[in-house]
C-alpha cells in the first residue's frame, strides 16, 4: 500500500537521467520459495544530465536486498540508503560496475507486475514500472541498455526458459537445474524486458523477410492449448508482410516469440522479441472463439508486432509520451485490419467505440489530453484517450498530408529517431518537416482535453449558384483547462444533389471543379468556405469517414438524415446518418416514457429502417452495422440527466416494435444468410453470421415459442462459437425453460475451458433482468471463478459493472456490490481494481438519488487504505 495521498508527477519536471546503463547482465535463479536476482550494471554519468555530481538513485519496490558491490568491492550497509521505493548511493565514480543481489517472491505476487506465476509458470510484465519489482534499476524508458539474461530453473518443472533476443548459451547444472542465456543486441528500456519459464509447447513456423532473411516464429502455450495457435500464427505472418509493404519495416532479430498466459492485467505486451499475450487474445479454434475473437486476435497480434518499430526501435522519452507509441500503433493496427477486411465495417466499429467510451472519458472527471501533463499512477493512463483518440490524432496527419505524405513523415521519423527515446513533438516535427508544412497548431491535439464541437451552418444563393458553409468550433472545459484555443481540424466534406449523387466541387477562386470530397482545414473559431458553380442546393455530407474526432452538428431534418443514410457515397457517413436518425428517434421515445406517454415508433423511421433491411445491394456486415440500434451508453451520453431505466425501456420497446413490424423480413434474412460448409474466418462469412445473429436477436424480442425454438435449434446445431453464442445470447432475452437449459448445456460442455466460460459469465452478468445481481453473486462461488484472475473479474464483475440496469439499480445494490469488489481487488491487484472503479466516475450525470448513493460509495472507498491506482480515480472523481 502506498502513502495515503500519493504525489503527482509532472511532465514539466522532466530531467534527463543522471546516469546511463550501458550493459545490463541479469541472472534469475527461479525457486519455489523465492527467486534470487543478480544484476551487473555498467553505469556511467549521463553527459546530458543537469547535475554533474548527482547521487545514483535506483528504483526498487518490495525487494529483499542481499548485497551491493561497486567495481568489485562489497559495500557496507552504511554506504547506501534504502527506502520503500529506492536505493541511493551518494558517492559514485563517473563510470563503474555495480553488482546487486536481491530476493523476490513471485509466487506471492497477485498484482501481476514484475515477475509472477501463472498456471505454474513464471512470466513477467514490466510496462510501465514493473521492472523495479524484480531488481534495483533506473526504471524509466529513456534509459536504454543492452541486456544479457541468464535464466536458471528446475529442468523438470521449467523445461522452457525464455528471455529477449537470441539464445547464446545453455547447459545443465546440479540438482536437476538447467539454464539458458539470452542476449538482446538492441538497446532497450527496462519496460520491454521479459522472462518466461515453464512447461510449454511450441508451434513453430518461419518467415522470410522482404530482404530475404529467415526468421524463426514460435508461439508458446500450455500443452493442452497447442491446437488453438494456428490463427495467431497466420495473423503474425500477415502482419509482418503488411508492415513491409505499407511502411517498409522489417523484423530485426532471428527469432520472434509469443507466449500466452492466463493471468494478465491487459491484452498483450510487446516485449522485444518475446511478446506476452493474455491467452484470450491468442487462443482460437472455431468451436471456442467467435468471429469477433478471431478479428481481435488478428488485430492485437498485429498491434504488438507493429510495436517492434513504433515503441521498441523508437521508444518514449517518458510516460507522458505514451501515445507516441500507443496512438501510432493503434492507428497502424486499425489500418491493417481495415485493409485486410471490409474497411467500412472496421471504421464504424472503431468510431462507435470512440464515441461510446472516449467521448465519455473526455467529458468526465478523468478527462486528460492525449499527452497528459501529470499523473499520480501511470497505469491509470492506459486509456481510450491515449490509445483511441491518440490513433485518431495520427489518422488526422494522414488525412491532412495524404497517404504518401504520411509515409514520408514516417520514414523521416525512423531516420531521425531509430534507437532513441523521443516525444510526440518529435513525431509532429517529422511529419511537418517531411512535408514542408507548418503543423504547430496541430500540437493542441496533444495538449488540450475535451471533445471539440463543430457547428455547421449553410446558405444557398440560387441566383449565383453559390453555396456557403460556415464552420464554428468550440471545446468544453475539462479539469484544469477552463479555456481552449482552436484546433486544426480536418473536416472532409461532400455535397449531394437531389438524386443523392456527389457533386463535383469547386471552391471560390478555383478555376475548375476537382474531386467530390474536400478536406477543409478549420483553424479558426469560425471560418467560411464558398462552393461555386452549383446548379441546385446541395445537402452537405460532413466529417466524411470521421475525418476528425469531433462532434458535428448541422440542423438536418429526419428526412435529410434518411436520405443521407440511403445515398451518401461515403459508406461511413451513410451509417452515421442512420445512427443520428436512430439516436434522435430513441431520445424521443425516452422523453415519451419519462412523460408517461405511450411510445410509438415514427413511421418515417420504420420505412427507412425497412429499406436498409431489405436492400439487396448492401454487404451483410455493413447492413448489420446499420441495423444495430445506438447503445444505451451512447444514448445516456446525449442526456442532461441520465435515466437508465427510461433508456432501457425505450430501446427495448424499439427493438420489439422493429421486430414485430418486420418479422417476415427478419425471418427472411435469417434463412437466407445461413453459412454453408466448414467454419472459416473470412470477412464475408463473418458478415453473414453477424447479420443472421442480429436477426435472431431482434426476433427474440418477440418472445413466444416459435422464436425460442428457432434460437434453441441454432444453439443445438451450431458447429462454431459465433453461432452457439449468438443463439445463447438470444435465449437470454427470453423467459422460459430453454434459457436455463441452454446455459446448463453450455456450462457442462465447457466447464474445463475457462476462456469459453468467460463468455458464459459475461452473458449472465450482462442480462438486464431483476435477478442479475443475485445470479452474479452466486456465480462468484462457481469453482471456475477466481478473483485473482483478471479475465474472470472482467467477464463477471466487469460485465455487471457495464450493465446499466444492474449497476444503476435504483436501490443502490449495484453500487454497493461493485464498491465491495473494488475494495477486495484493491488489496490484491490495484490495476484491475482501478479499472473496476471507473464506472463510478460519471456519478454527477445521474439523478439526485443515484448521485447520492454513488458518491457515498466513493467516499467510503476514499476512507480506506487505497492503492495509488484506485486513490487517483476516487479522489479525482470526488473533486
Ligand atoms: N503496451 C501494451 C500494449 O500493447 C499495454 C500493456 C500490456 C500494459 N500490459 C500492460 C500497460 C500492463 C500497463 C500495464 O498496448
Ligand atoms: Zn500497444
Amino acid at each position: 500500500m502506498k502513502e495515503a495521498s500519493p504525489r503527482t508527477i509532472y511532465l514539466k519536471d522532466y530531467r534527463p537521467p543522471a546516469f546511463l546503463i550501458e550493459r545490463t547482465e541479469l541472472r534469475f535463479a527461479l525457486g519455489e520459495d523465492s527467486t534470487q536476482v543478480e544484476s551487473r550494471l555498467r553505469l556511467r554519468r549521463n553527459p546530458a544530465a543537469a547535475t554533474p555530481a548527482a547521487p545514483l538513485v535506483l528504483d526498487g519496490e518490495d525487494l529483499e536486498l542481499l548485497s551491493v558491490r561497486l567495481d568489485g568491492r562489497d559495500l557496507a550497509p552504511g554506504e547506501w540508503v534504502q527506502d520503500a521505493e529506492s536505493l541511493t548511493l551518494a558517492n559514485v565514480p563517473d563510470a563503474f560496475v555495480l553488482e546487486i543481489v536481491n530476493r523476490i517472491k513471485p509466487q506471492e505476487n497477485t498484482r501481476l507486475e514484475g515477475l509472477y506465476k501463472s498456471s505454474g509458470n513464471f512470466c513477467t510484465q514490466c510496462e510501465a514500472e514493473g521492472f523495479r519489482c524484480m531488481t534495483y534499476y533506473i526504471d524509466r524508458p529513456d534509459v536504454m541498455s543492452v541486456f544479457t539474461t541468464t535464466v536458471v530453473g528446475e529442468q523438470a518443472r521449467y523445461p522452457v526458459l525464455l528471455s529477449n533476443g537470441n539464445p547464446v548459451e545453455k547447459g545443465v547444472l546440479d540438482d536437476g537445474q538447467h539454464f539458458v542465456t539470452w542476449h538482446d543486441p538492441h538497446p532497450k528500456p527496462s519496460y520491454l524486458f521479459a522472462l518466461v519459464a515453464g512447461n510449454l509447447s511450441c508451434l513453430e513456423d518461419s518467415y522470410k523477410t522482404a530482404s530475404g532473411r529467415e526468421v524463426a516464429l514460435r508461439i508458446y502455450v500450455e500443452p493442452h492449448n497447442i491446437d488453438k495457435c494456428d490463427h495467431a500464427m497466420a495473423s503474425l505472418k500477415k502482419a509482418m508482410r503488411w508492415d513491409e509493404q505499407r511502411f517498409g519495416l522489417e523484423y530485426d532479430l532471428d527469432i520472434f516469440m509469443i507466449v500466452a498466459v492466463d493471468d494478465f492485467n491487459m491484452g498483450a505486451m510487446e516485449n522485444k522479441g518475446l511478446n506476452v499475450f493474455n491467452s484470450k487474445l491468442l487462443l482460437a479454434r472455431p468451436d471456442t472463439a467467435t468471429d469477433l475473437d478471431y478479428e481481435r486476435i488478428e488485430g492485437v497480434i498485429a498491434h504488438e508486432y507493429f510495436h517492434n518499430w513504433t515503441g521498441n526501435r523508437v521508444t518514449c522519452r517518458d510516460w507522458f509520451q505514451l501515445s507516441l507509441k500507443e496512438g501510432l500503433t493503434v492507428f497502424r493496427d486499425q489500418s491493417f485490419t481495415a485493409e485486410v477486411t471490409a474497411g467500412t465495417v472496421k471504421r464504424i466499429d472503431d468510431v462507435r467505440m470512440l464515441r461510446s467510451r472516449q467521448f465519455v472519458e473526455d467529458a468526465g472527471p478523468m478527462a486528460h489530453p492525449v499527452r497528459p501533463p501529470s499523473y499520480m499512477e501511470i497505469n491509470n493512463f492506459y486509456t481510450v484517450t491515449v490509445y483511441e483518440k491518440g490513433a485518431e490524432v495520427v489518422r488526422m496527419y494522414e488525412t491532412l498530408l495524404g497517404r504518401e505524405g504520411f509515409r514520408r513523415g514516417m520514414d523521416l521519423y525512423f531516420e531521425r529517431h531509430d534507437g532513441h527515446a523521443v516525444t510526440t513533438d518529435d513525431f509532429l516535427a517529422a511529419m511537418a518537416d517531411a512535408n514542408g508544412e507548418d503543423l504547430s497548431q496541430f500540437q493542441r491535439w496533444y495538449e488540450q482535453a475535451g471533445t471539440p464541437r463543430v457547428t455547421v451552418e449553410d446558405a444557398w444563393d440560387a441566383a449565383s449558384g453559390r453555396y456557403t458553409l460556415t464552420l464554428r468550433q468550440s471545446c468544453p472545459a475539462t479539469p484544469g483547462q477552463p479555456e481552449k484555443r482552436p484546433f486544426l481540424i480536418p473536416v472532409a466534406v461532400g455535397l449531394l444533389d437531389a438524386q443523392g449523387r456527389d457533386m463535383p466541387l469547386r471552391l471560390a477562386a478555383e478555376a475548375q471543379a476537382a474531386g467530390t470530397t474536400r478536406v477543409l482545414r478549420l483553424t479558426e473559431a469560425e471560418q467560411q468556405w464558398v462552393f461555386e458553380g452549383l446548379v441546385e442546393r446541395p445537402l452537405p455530407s460532413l466529417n466524411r469517414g470521421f475525418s476528425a474526432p469531433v462532434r458535428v452538428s448541422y440542423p438536418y431534418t429526419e428526412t435529410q438524415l434518411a436520405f443521407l443514410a440511403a445515398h451518401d457515397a461515403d459508406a461511413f457517413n451513410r451509417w452515421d446518418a442512420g445512427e443520428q436518425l436512430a439516436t434522435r428517434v430513441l431520445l424521443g421515445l425516452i422523453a415519451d416514457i419519462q412523460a408517461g406517454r405511450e411510445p410509438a415508433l415514427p413511421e418515417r423511421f420504420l420505412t427507412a429502417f425497412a429499406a436498409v433491411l431489405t436492400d439487396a445491394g448492401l454487404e451483410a456486415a455493413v447492413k448489420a452495422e446499420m441495423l444495430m440500434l445506438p447503445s444505451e451508453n451512447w444514448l445516456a451520453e446525449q442526456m442532461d440527466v441520465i435515466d437508465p431505466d427510461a433508456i432501457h425501456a425505450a430501446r427495448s420497446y424499439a427493438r420489439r416494435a422493429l421486430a414485430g413490424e418486420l418479422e417476415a423480413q427478419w425471418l427472411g434474412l435469417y434463412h437466407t444468410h445461413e453459412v454453408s460448409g466448414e467454419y472459416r474466418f473470412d470477412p464475408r462469412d463473418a458478415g453473414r453470421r453477424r447479420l443472421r445473429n442480429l436477426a435472431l436477436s431482434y426476433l427474440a424480442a418477440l418472445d413466444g415459442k416459435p422464436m425460442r425454438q428457432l434460437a434453441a435449434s441454432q444453439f443445438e446445431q451450431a458447429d462454431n462459437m459465433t453461432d452457439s453464442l449468438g443463439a445463447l445470447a438470444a435465449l437470454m432475452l427470453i423467459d422460459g425453460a430453454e434459457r436455463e437449459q441452454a446455459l446448463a448445456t453450455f456450462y457442462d460442455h465447457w466447464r474445463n475451458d475457462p476462456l469459453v466460460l468467460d463468455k458464459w459469465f459475461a452473458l449472465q452478468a450482462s442480462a438486464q433482468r431483476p435477478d442479475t445481481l443475485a445470479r452474479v453473486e452466486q456465480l462468484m462461488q462457481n469453482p471456475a471463478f477466481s478473483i485473482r484472475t483478471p479475465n474472470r473479474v472482467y467477464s463477471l464483475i466487469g460485465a455487471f459493472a457495464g450493465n446499466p440496469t444492474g449497476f444503476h439499480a435504483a436501490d443502490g445494490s449495484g453500487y454497493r456490490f461493485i464498491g465491495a469488489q473494488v475494495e477486495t481487488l484493491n488489496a490484491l491487484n490495484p490495476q484491475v481494481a482501478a479499472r473496476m472503479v471507473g464506472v463510478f466516475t460519471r456519478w454527477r450525470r445521474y439523478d439526485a438519488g443515484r448521485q447520492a448513493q454513488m458518491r457515498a460509495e466513493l467516499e467510503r472507498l476514499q476512507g480506506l487504505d487505497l492503492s495509488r491506482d484506485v486513490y487517483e480515480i476516487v479522489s479525482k472523481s470526488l473533486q
Side-chain angles (χ1 to χ4, degrees):
M1 245 22 44
K2 303 288 171 357
E3 63 275 33
S5 158
R7 70 172 188 282
T8 298
I9 320 258
Y10 295 92
L11 167 60
K12 64 175 164 48
D13 292 341
Y14 173 84
R15 298 291 177 277
F19 290 85
L20 301 175
I21 307 180
E22 290 173 330
R23 294 258 156 199
T24 302
E25 288 166 46
L26 301 168
R27 185 174 185 279
F28 287 80
L30 305 169
E32 294 321 293
D33 204 42
S34 68
T35 287
Q36 183 156 316
V37 186
E38 299 175 22
S39 107
R40 186 170 185 280
L41 310 177
R42 202 160 82 205
L43 292 127
R44 74 182 162 85
R45 282 195 190 273
N46 181 5
T51 35
L56 174 67
V57 182
L58 301 172
D59 305 294
E61 278 173 31
D62 292 324
L63 305 175
E64 187 193 342
L65 181 61
L66 299 178
S67 67
V68 184
R69 277 165 83 91
L70 199 153
D71 284 335
R73 182 178 73 85
D74 277 314
L75 299 192
E79 296 182 79
W80 69 75
V81 177
Q82 200 184 1
D83 70 16
E85 294 184 357
S86 64
L87 177 71
T88 302
L89 279 69
N91 298 306
V92 293
D94 289 344
F96 56 100
V97 172
L98 189 69
E99 291 166 277
I100 293 177
V101 182
N102 67 276
R103 224 170 3 221
I104 50 178
K105 296 220 164 215
Q107 64 283 359
E108 289 171 13
N109 180 350
T110 60
R111 308 166 59 101
L112 314 185
E113 289 176 89
L115 183 65
Y116 64 93
K117 291 200 89 172
S118 175
S119 312
N121 300 322
F122 285 96
C123 63
T124 55
Q125 170 56 41
C126 294
E127 188 176 4
E129 298 178 334
F131 195 86
R132 63 186 67 184
C133 306
M134 304 191 301
T135 182
Y136 283 106
Y137 203 74
I138 309 179
D139 191 14
R140 45 187 281 173
D142 55 355
V143 172
M144 299 170 83
S145 183
V146 172
F147 282 69
T148 305
T149 305
T150 298
V151 189
V152 184
E154 195 184 320
Q155 187 152 27
R157 284 183 208 252
Y158 312 110
V160 174
L161 305 173
L162 308 175
S163 190
N164 317 83
N166 304 308
V168 290
E169 203 188 333
K170 57 185 73 173
V172 176
L173 305 167
D174 311 336
D175 299 341
Q177 304 278 306
H178 71 144
F179 76 94
V180 180
T181 299
W182 293 81
H183 178 74
D184 180 0
H186 298 280
K188 65 168 176 291
S190 51
Y191 84 88
L192 291 173
F193 173 85
L195 177 160
V196 171
N199 179 17
L200 299 167
S201 296
C202 166
L203 174 68
E204 277 215 68
D205 206 326
S206 72
Y207 179 85
K208 197 188 202 101
T209 68
S211 66
R213 280 185 315 104
E214 272 315 317
V215 178
L217 308 179
R218 297 191 190 136
I219 297 181
Y220 290 92
V221 294
E222 288 178 57
H224 65 274
N225 285 326
I226 194 70
D227 61 343
K228 298 191 188 117
C229 303
D230 297 337
H231 176 62
M233 185 64 89
S235 303
L236 174 60
K237 291 192 280 186
K238 216 162 151 179
M240 293 176 88
R241 190 65 69 208
W242 186 86
D243 217 12
E244 291 174 348
Q245 290 170 351
R246 171 81 194 264
F247 289 109
L249 298 172
E250 263 189 36
Y251 187 61
D252 56 3
L253 283 166
D254 299 333
I255 319 177
F256 186 76
M257 297 174 283
I258 302 178
V259 181
V261 305
D262 289 335
D263 301 271
F264 204 68
N265 285 344
M266 307 256 290
M269 181 62 212
E270 70 266 24
N271 317 298
K272 183 79 189 188
L274 178 54
N275 289 358
V276 176
F277 271 61
N278 185 325
S279 55
K280 80 170 167 213
L281 287 164
L282 190 139
L283 302 175
R285 215 173 52 193
D287 60 330
T288 62
T290 62
D291 290 324
L292 191 65
D293 294 326
Y294 271 80
E295 186 184 309
R296 288 187 63 207
I297 289 167
E298 187 176 80
V300 177
I301 292 267
H303 178 98
E304 306 309 331
Y305 173 72
F306 295 158
H307 268 314
N308 191 55
W309 279 93
T310 50
N312 302 4
R313 292 286 292 244
V314 183
T315 196
C316 301
R317 187 193 72 174
D318 54 71
W319 290 118
F320 298 103
Q321 320 298 327
L322 183 58
S323 197
L324 174 76
K325 73 177 178 79
E326 295 304 347
L328 177 54
T329 305
V330 171
F331 169 74
R332 275 152 53 67
D333 85 56
Q334 290 178 346
S335 306
F336 164 75
T337 301
E339 286 175 24
V340 301
T341 62
T344 306
V345 171
K346 174 63 176 161
R347 189 68 186 134
I348 293 169
D349 287 341
D350 290 341
V351 172
R352 210 199 284 281
M353 131 85 143
L354 188 85
R355 283 181 177 158
S356 65
R357 298 197 38 214
Q358 198 280 325
F359 280 19
V360 173
E361 181 167 271
D362 235 352
M366 284 295 290
H368 53 275
V370 167
R371 185 173 72 184
S374 68
Y375 59 75
M376 286 181 195
E377 171 53 61
I378 184 56
N379 286 320
N380 286 334
F381 286 82
Y382 288 75
T383 59
V384 278
T385 297
V386 166
Y387 276 64
E388 270 69 29
K389 186 176 180 180
E392 295 299 326
V393 169
V394 175
R395 181 182 302 272
M396 285 190 284
Y397 289 109
E398 196 190 45
T399 303
L400 289 165
L401 305 171
R403 198 177 150 103
E404 280 164 23
F406 182 75
R407 173 65 193 269
R408 278 194 295 278
M410 288 289 279
D411 290 350
L412 184 60
Y413 174 66
F414 293 119
E415 198 184 305
R416 285 181 176 172
H417 304 300
D418 187 14
H420 294 100
V422 304
T423 66
T424 57
D425 303 327
D426 295 315
F427 187 79
L428 186 147
M431 285 289 154
D433 296 351
N435 291 282
E437 292 239 15
D438 176 4
L439 292 176
S440 43
Q441 190 182 358
F442 196 79
Q443 174 69 21
R444 293 178 193 161
W445 284 108
Y446 293 99
E447 292 173 345
Q448 299 187 139
T451 307
R453 180 180 283 281
V454 174
T455 309
V456 182
E457 240 177 56
D458 61 354
W460 167 240
D461 181 34
S464 62
R466 288 160 67 100
Y467 178 69
T468 306
L469 280 178
T470 305
L471 274 61
R472 294 189 183 87
Q473 62 165 306
S474 62
C475 182
T478 49
Q481 297 185 331
E483 306 284 343
K484 312 286 163 115
R485 296 199 287 165
F487 294 85
L488 162 49
I489 305 179
V491 186
V493 170
L495 301 179
L496 274 66
D497 70 14
Q499 272 69 54
R501 289 172 311 213
D502 263 348
M503 298 164 114
L505 302 180
R506 178 163 73 79
L507 284 162
E510 290 178 350
Q512 50 194 345
T516 52
T517 298
R518 288 298 179 88
V519 178
L520 308 180
R521 288 190 178 195
L522 176 61
T523 56
E524 313 285 325
E526 177 178 333
Q527 248 167 295
Q528 274 191 351
W529 284 267
V530 179
F531 293 91
E532 293 186 339
L534 302 174
V535 292
E536 56 177 296
R537 179 181 189 131
L539 182 65
S541 167
L542 302 162
N543 209 30
R544 280 185 157 176
F546 200 67
S547 57
V550 299
R551 293 171 190 268
V552 178
S553 53
Y554 172 86
Y556 289 118
T557 64
E558 291 187 6
T559 311
Q560 288 173 328
L561 286 174
F563 185 81
L564 286 170
H567 298 291
D568 200 324
D570 186 82
F572 173 85
N573 268 21
R574 214 152 59 221
W575 167 78
D576 196 29
E579 175 86 353
Q580 284 183 53
L581 179 58
T583 300
R584 228 186 263 191
V585 167
L586 281 156
L587 290 172
L589 296 174
I590 291 167
D592 287 342
I593 287 167
Q594 287 181 317
R597 288 189 297 266
E598 196 59 41
L601 215 54
E603 198 57 41
R604 208 175 310 115
F605 179 65
L606 190 62
T607 312
F609 196 88
V612 175
L613 182 52
T614 53
D615 183 341
L618 271 179
E619 203 187 315
V622 174
K623 185 181 281 195
E625 294 283 7
M626 298 194 71
L627 296 175
M628 262 164 80
L629 293 180
S631 69
E632 294 191 11
N633 228 342
W634 173 243
L635 294 169
E637 215 24 50
Q638 316 309 310
M639 299 179 71
D640 292 330
V641 177
I642 300 174
D643 181 343
D645 300 323
I647 293 171
H648 182 59
R651 200 166 176 280
S652 307
Y653 164 80
R655 288 176 62 82
R656 235 177 304 116
L658 291 167
E661 297 282 346
L662 303 167
E663 183 177 351
Q665 289 88 331
W666 285 118
L667 273 171
L669 260 193
Y670 184 82
H671 290 300
T672 50
H673 283 76
E674 203 161 337
V675 180
S676 56
E678 215 174 82
Y679 175 92
R680 283 183 312 154
F681 174 64
D682 151 278
R684 210 177 140 266
D685 283 5
R688 291 172 69 89
R689 281 187 286 267
R690 187 160 172 174
L691 184 55
R692 189 162 180 265
N693 281 311
L694 183 76
L696 186 64
S697 81
Y698 269 97
L699 289 166
L702 294 178
D703 215 330
K705 205 157 172 53
M707 296 315 157
R708 294 211 296 269
Q709 280 173 348
L710 190 67
S713 101
Q714 176 174 321
F715 181 73
E716 280 155 29
Q717 283 160 24
D719 69 346
N720 64 78
M721 183 50 76
T722 307
D723 288 338
S724 172
L725 203 67
L728 192 57
L731 284 168
M732 292 300 296
L733 301 168
I734 316 177
D735 271 315
E738 287 87 349
R739 183 182 72 226
E740 293 307 316
Q741 178 62 51
L743 282 171
T745 307
F746 193 93
Y747 179 73
D748 285 341
H749 191 84
W750 297 112
R751 61 194 316 149
N752 295 318
D753 191 325
L755 291 178
V756 179
L757 283 188
D758 281 343
K759 303 177 191 304
W760 182 80
F761 283 132
L763 266 188
Q764 296 176 78
S766 315
Q768 300 203 321
R769 308 169 51 81
D771 59 352
T772 294
L773 178 55
R775 174 72 68 108
V776 170
E777 285 175 322
Q778 175 211 323
L779 287 170
M780 286 180 70
Q781 307 306 315
N782 187 294
F785 180 81
S786 162
I787 197 141
R788 288 167 191 254
T789 300
N791 286 348
R792 295 307 91 72
V793 173
Y794 296 142
S795 67
L796 188 58
I797 299 170
F800 180 80
N803 172 344
T805 49
F807 179 64
H808 292 291
D811 64 2
S813 54
Y815 305 145
R816 288 190 296 275
F817 172 74
I818 295 296
Q821 302 315 313
V822 169
E823 184 177 350
T824 307
L825 285 162
N826 175 66
L828 290 171
N829 187 329
Q831 280 185 43
V832 173
R835 285 187 185 265
M836 290 296 114
V837 83
V839 282
F840 285 102
T841 52
R842 304 284 284 138
W843 63 277
R844 285 191 174 84
R845 294 289 310 279
Y846 291 82
D847 55 86
R850 287 186 171 94
Q851 275 195 25
Q853 302 196 71
M854 292 173 90
R855 180 184 179 158
E857 198 53 42
L858 281 168
E859 283 169 347
R860 187 185 74 80
L861 287 170
Q862 197 176 28
L864 303 173
D865 183 14
L866 290 180
S867 61
R868 195 157 55 195
D869 312 57
V870 177
Y871 178 85
E872 178 169 32
I873 295 177
V874 168
S875 61
K876 288 184 177 173
S877 298
L878 285 170
Q879 248 162 40

